[in-house]
Amino acid sequence: AAKKMGRNMFQFYEPAMNEEAQERLRIENALRKALERGEFALHYQPQVDLESGRIIGAEALLRWQHPELGLVSPARFIGLAEETGLIVPIGAWVLRTACAQAREWLEHSHGHAPMRMAVNLSARQFSQPDLVQTIAAVLAETGLPPACLELELTESVFMNDVAQAVSLLRQLKALGVTLSIDDFGTGYSSLAYLRDFPIDVLKIDRSFVNDIVTDPDDAAIVVSVIALAHNLKLRVVAEGVENREQLDFLQQHGCDAIQGYYFSRPVAPEQFEHMARQGRHLDSASSTMAA
Ligand code: C2E
Ligand code: MG
Ligand code: MG
Ligand code: MG
């Protein structure tokens, strides 16, 4: 019976696997051409300070508009871009584009506090020997003050050579940029790296934020991570805040900033500019501060 089932499963899965492999190949080939064809764009999601209720920064998020495939989500191509190494030139484009955009917004900020631009770095980029030079060059070219650039790293970059990672992070810090840990709590969450590495910000992964209001375990984790971060003099940002209840919880427990659909989805640069110009903010902040 097992044999028979095995054969059936084989028949059932083979065409699907094939399709998947073909789809990967198709995306990989298209990915190779996407940069020269100008098919990439960046969307920007605001980061909002929970004390002032104001936008304090943006995360740059990659979007791929393919002529036939349509809008391809990063979930479908970032992994492939990493495997093939294409993430290196694509990541350099992201860095240059985001920094140029941040520099332009800085010029128009007219006395408002400068916004910080957060850019995601993949593990593959992190292991490029010329990463520090690339970032220094982009800052010089675009004229963006280093303090306005935040680099988001995931815990995976710490898994290989710890001594080398520490040295690289120190070199990045020496440029004057801000370093944050993205998706905190989902990867290799070692407390040793929080102690040894020059990190500024923890971004709590949205999988913990999702159920903070209903799941006591998630609530306990989030409250503890906020306390841990603050005791280590780190800022803490919650990802994936989708509703008022989550926001209230995070505000009550002293989280520094949030990012999420509740305030805004990632949007095209013109829309972000519009939001910033309107001075859009969390209406909660003033009443909380008055109370
Ligand atoms: P991430 O860096 O953790 O980015 C946050 C993701 O959560 C974004 O997905 C964002 O659209 C989504 N998000 C934000 N607020 C909410 C919310 O309230 N609810 C829900 N359900 N989702 C929310 P996106 O843009 O699809 O990007 C997915 C991932 O792809 C990113 O996760 C990041 O790991 C990667 N990625 C995106 N752009 C780049 C890039 O330029 N370079 C690299 N290396 N990776 C990138
Ligand atoms: Mg990120
Ligand atoms: Mg994240
Ligand atoms: Mg995440």
Side-chain angles (χ1 to χ4, degrees):
K3 204 171 170 186
K4 197 174 164 204
M5 203 168 111
R7 189 151 19 111
N8 283 341
M9 280 172 72
F10 184 70
Q11 284 174 347
F12 180 72
Y13 279 112
E14 196 188 32
M17 294 285 269
N18 238 327
E19 246 169 62
E20 205 184 293
Q22 274 174 6
E23 152 107 346
R24 278 168 65 90
L25 204 62
R26 213 151 57 100
I27 294 190
E28 187 184 325
N29 287 331
L31 208 48
R32 287 187 196 285
K33 299 179 190 123
L35 258 186
E36 14 176 308
R37 294 184 179 170
E39 292 169 0
F40 289 120
L42 294 182
H43 278 189
Y44 298 93
Q45 187 175 38
Q47 290 192 354
V48 185
D49 180 72
L50 285 183
E51 209 176 296
S52 67
R54 303 258 160 208
I55 300 174
I56 48 166
E59 177 175 4
L61 292 157
L62 189 58
R63 297 292 177 261
W64 180 19
Q65 186 67 55
H66 184 271
E68 286 114 46
L69 300 172
L71 193 69
V72 189
S73 122
R76 274 175 71 203
F77 71 86
I78 291 282
L80 204 56
E82 287 224 20
E83 283 168 40
T84 54
L86 287 166
I87 194 66
V88 175
I90 295 171
W93 178 87
V94 169
L95 200 61
R96 229 179 304 118
T97 307
C99 288
Q101 182 64 83
R103 169 65 214 240
E104 192 192 313
W105 284 339
L106 186 63
E107 268 161 38
H108 300 172
S109 66
H110 301 301
H112 291 285
M115 282 197 302
R116 208 181 262 144
M117 178 63 79
V119 175
N120 292 286
L121 278 193
S122 76
R124 186 79 174 243
Q125 286 173 280
F126 194 76
S127 63
Q128 292 297 300
D130 60 352
L131 176 69
V132 179
Q133 289 97 302
T134 302
I135 291 167
V138 168
L139 289 169
E141 269 167 42
T142 58
L144 184 69
C148 293
L149 177 62
E150 179 169 325
L151 299 173
E152 296 194 0
L153 310 161
T154 54
E155 291 163 332
S156 61
V157 305
F158 306 121
M159 282 174 62
N160 303 323
D161 186 341
V162 173
Q164 206 211 315
V166 173
S167 145
L168 191 50
L169 291 178
R170 291 216 178 109
Q171 292 174 58
L172 290 171
K173 277 306 294 174
L175 291 178
V177 303
T178 300
L179 299 178
S180 68
I181 303 297
D182 203 354
D183 305 338
F184 181 74
T186 60
Y188 165 80
S189 303
S190 157
L191 297 179
Y193 79 66
L194 291 184
R195 179 193 61 199
D196 298 338
F197 292 5
I199 292 154
D200 306 290
V201 181
L202 289 190
K203 293 187 77 176
I204 305 180
D205 189 68
R206 77 173 131 91
S207 61
F208 298 108
V209 173
N210 219 5
D211 300 326
I212 33 175
V213 183
T214 50
D215 185 331
D217 291 338
D218 284 334
I221 289 171
V222 169
V223 170
S224 306
V225 169
I226 293 171
L228 176 69
H230 286 166
N231 287 331
L232 294 169
K233 310 267 185 297
L234 306 176
R235 281 200 316 125
V236 56
V237 179
E239 298 188 311
V241 176
E242 295 185 351
N243 59 51
R244 186 69 212 204
E245 291 70 34
Q246 293 165 338
L247 176 77
D248 288 342
F249 181 97
L250 291 160
Q251 205 158 30
Q252 276 157 26
H253 290 89
C255 185
D256 299 295
I258 57 126
Q259 211 181 311
Y261 296 171
Y262 178 71
F263 187 81
S264 169
R265 286 182 177 256
V267 294
E270 312 78 58
Q271 284 170 275
F272 189 94
E273 245 169 78
H274 183 68
M275 233 188 305
R277 233 194 339 254
Q278 281 184 316
R280 224 184 109 194
H281 60 280
L282 285 169
D283 48 7
S284 66
S286 50
S287 57
T288 306
M289 279 174 21

